[in-house]
Amino acid sequence: MYTIIDIETTGNGIKGNRITEISIFKYDGHEVIDEFTSLVNPECPIPTFITGLTGIDDDMVRNAPLLEELIPQIVEITKNTIFVAHSVNFDYNVIKNEFKLLGHDFSRKKLCTVRLSRKLLPGYNSYSLGKLTAALGIPLTDRHRARGDAHATVLLFHKLLRAENADSVFKQFLNSKSQEATLPPGLPKEEYLKLPTTAGVYYFKNSKGKIIYVGKAKNIKKRVLGHFYDKKTKEITLCAETRSLDFVETGNELIALLKESAEIKRHYPKYNSAQKRSIQQYGIFTYEDRNGIIHLAFNKIKMTPNPVAICYSPTEARQYLETLCSTFELCPKYCHLQENVAVCSHYKIKQCIGICSDLEMVTAYNQRVIDALQSIKEVEATLVIKTSGRTMEENGFVIIRENNYVGYGFAPTDVAIAQIEDLEMFITPQKNTLETQRIVESYLRKNPESAISI
């Protein structure tokens, strides 16, 4: 038994959406045996552009029942049925979220007539409800009203049930392990199946082949599936626009991060936002207090004119200071990891010799601060960061020359690295940007053993 459903909404994203109309046809595979259609008072204004699309305005729904009043009827007609809709994840998730807000659960097996149509009725230019029903000669009246769209979907579903190979396709789509209901409506399953489970960069593309999102992952297939499960409005909109996927394996997360950054700046994808924003830098700096004790601290870069090191978040700056503090037995209080305390009691760093308790000479303490500052200056300017490759027969590497990111590459494991020139033929040159600096510096702080001085 199936219930073919369509809703109209206020159009404020999945979680902000409120239902303004719902229509449900109960269908046994041969004929409609029950129907429920109602306007719904969304308890919020309907945007003008939604009224222009659906014809539903505030006056029409003012005296309509609230969704809470309709829940018993919706539950009863959909009980023990399969939830069917055109782009099912939209209708299903809006209803599920509305129910949840009202303290009710809603869970049904589901089928998407967009995905079913692509599989059983291939070759059409568009699988939108309006264009597909027109191409198939299915009447569609009252477009963008719940009953009109739901009734047309019933007729389309009737046709799909009788298409060649329908039995096997329906069984596949209803198999809980098939992931068909999870995939975006416009994305062929083969596009997802081709993805590897290795590290790399992946691309979401629209119907014109334009890259609309770039991401990186340790496991490409698992991360892409995470987008499909995510119910944030941005993710649902991204997935609804996705028609194909692409990927590049990198063998490791560092090169994936660097390549992702370069690809975002190259393609400027519609749904990437993080690396389009300017990066706030934080400077590590020193000063001497009136007792002659040298302090280490951090602040926003514009407040630190002569930083001894640069970080890219408050967390990273604190971690940097914690490392220096621990390595050189400095005091958490005078590294500003603890504020407004008489003596230090840092939960993680216990090596303070006692400068904050007057148990150590200022000169001895200051010498260790100077040693810490010297260690920063002694960081090698030209490095090879060695990483895992895409196969067992190669190594990945990242080149830093004069403290600037030069590029990355992959070289056979039997290539001896004595100088940068040994890797020249394997390098993919890249631009050094603020973002790549952040990536490389953060990686080196966490993995200092991976750097080879040349």
Side-chain angles (χ1 to χ4, degrees):
M1 192 69 70
Y2 308 94
T3 41
I4 290 88
I5 300 171
D6 188 81
I7 60 173
E8 301 303 330
T9 72
T10 56
N12 296 319
I14 295 299
K15 292 191 174 180
N17 247 331
R18 294 292 177 267
I19 297 171
T20 59
E21 188 174 38
I22 185 167
S23 184
I24 304 173
F25 287 85
K26 195 168 187 176
Y27 177 69
D28 65 3
H30 299 280
E31 60 183 1
V32 173
I33 61 173
D34 199 1
E35 177 192 344
F36 172 73
T37 300
S38 177
L39 288 167
V40 182
N41 185 341
E43 300 184 274
C44 66
I46 299 174
T48 303
F49 77 95
I50 292 294
T51 297
L53 181 68
T54 66
I56 301 172
D57 59 23
D58 293 334
D59 289 337
M60 289 177 62
V61 298
R62 183 168 288 112
N63 296 316
L66 303 177
L67 181 64
E68 190 166 17
E69 300 172 50
L70 301 176
I71 283 178
Q73 292 164 277
I74 295 171
V75 169
E76 181 61 31
I77 195 171
T78 62
K79 185 170 62 177
N80 299 322
T81 70
I82 297 168
F83 187 111
V84 181
H86 207 68
S87 294
V88 69
N89 285 333
F90 174 80
D91 300 79
Y92 183 84
N93 288 325
V94 170
I95 291 174
K96 187 179 181 72
N97 190 64
E98 287 266 59
F99 269 52
K100 184 177 180 180
L101 290 174
L102 294 169
H104 298 271
D105 292 327
F106 186 82
S107 179
R108 303 286 186 271
K109 286 187 175 182
K110 53 186 177 176
L111 285 170
C112 178
T113 51
V114 177
R115 296 195 61 78
L116 286 168
S117 298
R118 286 182 176 276
K119 191 78 171 181
L120 294 169
L121 306 173
Y124 289 92
N125 292 329
S126 173
Y127 286 84
S128 69
L129 185 62
K131 291 183 179 179
L132 183 59
T133 52
L136 294 170
I138 294 173
L140 172 54
T141 56
D142 291 331
R143 181 74 174 110
H144 296 303
R145 289 297 300 270
R147 190 183 188 283
D149 287 354
H151 184 260
T153 306
V154 171
L155 301 178
L156 172 61
F157 191 68
H158 182 87
K159 188 176 186 70
L160 291 169
L161 280 171
R162 288 152 182 80
E164 186 177 355
N165 299 320
D167 286 347
S168 61
V169 170
F170 270 70
K171 286 178 182 177
Q172 177 191 355
F173 277 46
L174 286 170
N175 182 344
S176 61
K177 297 180 180 179
S178 74
Q179 298 172 329
E180 287 286 355
T182 304
L183 301 182
L187 183 71
K189 187 177 181 180
E190 294 71 27
E191 289 290 306
Y192 172 71
L193 293 178
K194 73 182 183 184
L195 298 177
T197 56
T198 52
V201 173
Y202 57 90
Y203 307 82
F204 283 40
K205 298 181 179 180
N206 64 14
S207 58
K208 296 180 180 178
K210 182 179 175 63
I211 294 171
I212 56 176
Y213 184 81
V214 177
K216 63 85 191 171
K218 294 180 181 178
N219 181 325
I220 294 173
K221 193 169 209 169
K222 183 178 180 181
R223 181 66 192 94
V224 169
L225 187 62
H227 286 282
F228 302 157
Y229 277 115
D230 198 320
K231 302 310 176 190
K232 295 185 182 72
T233 299
K234 175 188 171 183
E235 295 285 353
I236 290 172
T237 307
L238 164 64
C239 292
E241 198 172 331
T242 300
R243 295 294 178 270
S244 63
L245 302 169
D246 204 352
F247 64 91
V248 175
E249 293 180 274
T250 63
N252 59 84
E253 190 178 18
L254 173 59
I255 294 179
L257 279 164
L258 292 167
K259 186 169 181 62
E260 176 199 36
S261 178
E263 292 293 77
I264 289 172
K265 288 173 174 56
R266 178 184 171 197
H267 298 287
Y268 212 69
K270 176 180 177 181
Y271 289 98
N272 284 96
S273 56
Q275 293 190 36
K276 294 177 184 176
R277 298 191 293 266
S278 60
I279 300 172
Q280 176 64 64
Q281 294 177 289
Y282 294 82
I284 305 293
F285 66 98
T286 69
Y287 69 91
E288 187 177 311
D289 67 19
R290 62 186 178 183
N291 295 318
I293 301 172
I294 301 175
H295 291 236
L296 289 175
F298 75 90
N299 206 334
K300 291 180 180 179
I301 197 69
K302 63 182 179 181
M303 305 295 288
T304 53
N306 296 301
V308 297
I310 295 174
C311 298
Y312 300 91
S313 73
T315 299
E316 187 179 323
R318 284 187 63 85
Q319 289 173 344
Y320 191 94
L321 288 174
E322 284 176 358
T323 299
L324 290 176
C325 192
S326 179
T327 303
F328 293 91
E329 296 182 308
L330 305 182
C331 176
K333 175 183 175 180
Y334 293 119
C335 287
H336 291 259
L337 297 171
Q338 287 187 284
E339 302 285 357
N340 303 316
V341 294
V343 296
C344 70
S345 58
H346 195 274
Y347 72 99
K348 188 162 64 174
I349 301 169
K350 309 294 185 183
Q351 297 97 325
C352 178
I353 295 174
I355 185 68
C356 57
S357 305
D358 297 326
L359 299 177
E360 182 183 21
M361 297 290 290
V362 172
T363 52
Y365 179 79
N366 283 350
Q367 184 57 53
R368 292 202 307 283
V369 177
I370 292 168
D371 292 343
L373 295 173
Q374 186 62 32
S375 74
I376 298 172
K377 295 177 183 178
E378 289 174 354
V379 173
E380 294 290 341
T382 301
L383 301 171
V384 174
I385 303 174
K386 187 177 177 181
T387 65
S388 55
R390 298 162 298 186
T391 67
M392 296 295 289
E393 290 73 40
E394 68 179 15
N395 291 317
F397 63 87
V398 172
I399 301 291
I400 309 299
R401 183 181 283 129
E402 296 179 0
N403 288 327
N404 286 321
Y405 168 57
V406 174
Y408 66 87
F410 302 93
T413 53
D414 57 2
V415 171
I417 305 173
Q419 53 190 2
I420 292 290
E421 287 68 26
D422 295 332
L423 298 172
E424 288 289 353
M425 70 175 68
F426 305 109
I427 294 176
T428 301
Q430 298 288 297
K431 291 182 179 179
N432 182 60
T433 67
L434 198 60
E435 180 65 28
T436 58
Q437 285 179 2
R438 182 191 68 80
I439 292 169
V440 170
E441 289 173 13
S442 296
Y443 183 85
L444 284 173
R445 284 169 190 152
K446 295 175 184 176
N447 306 278
E449 73 287 349
S450 66
I452 303 171
S453 301
I454 299 293

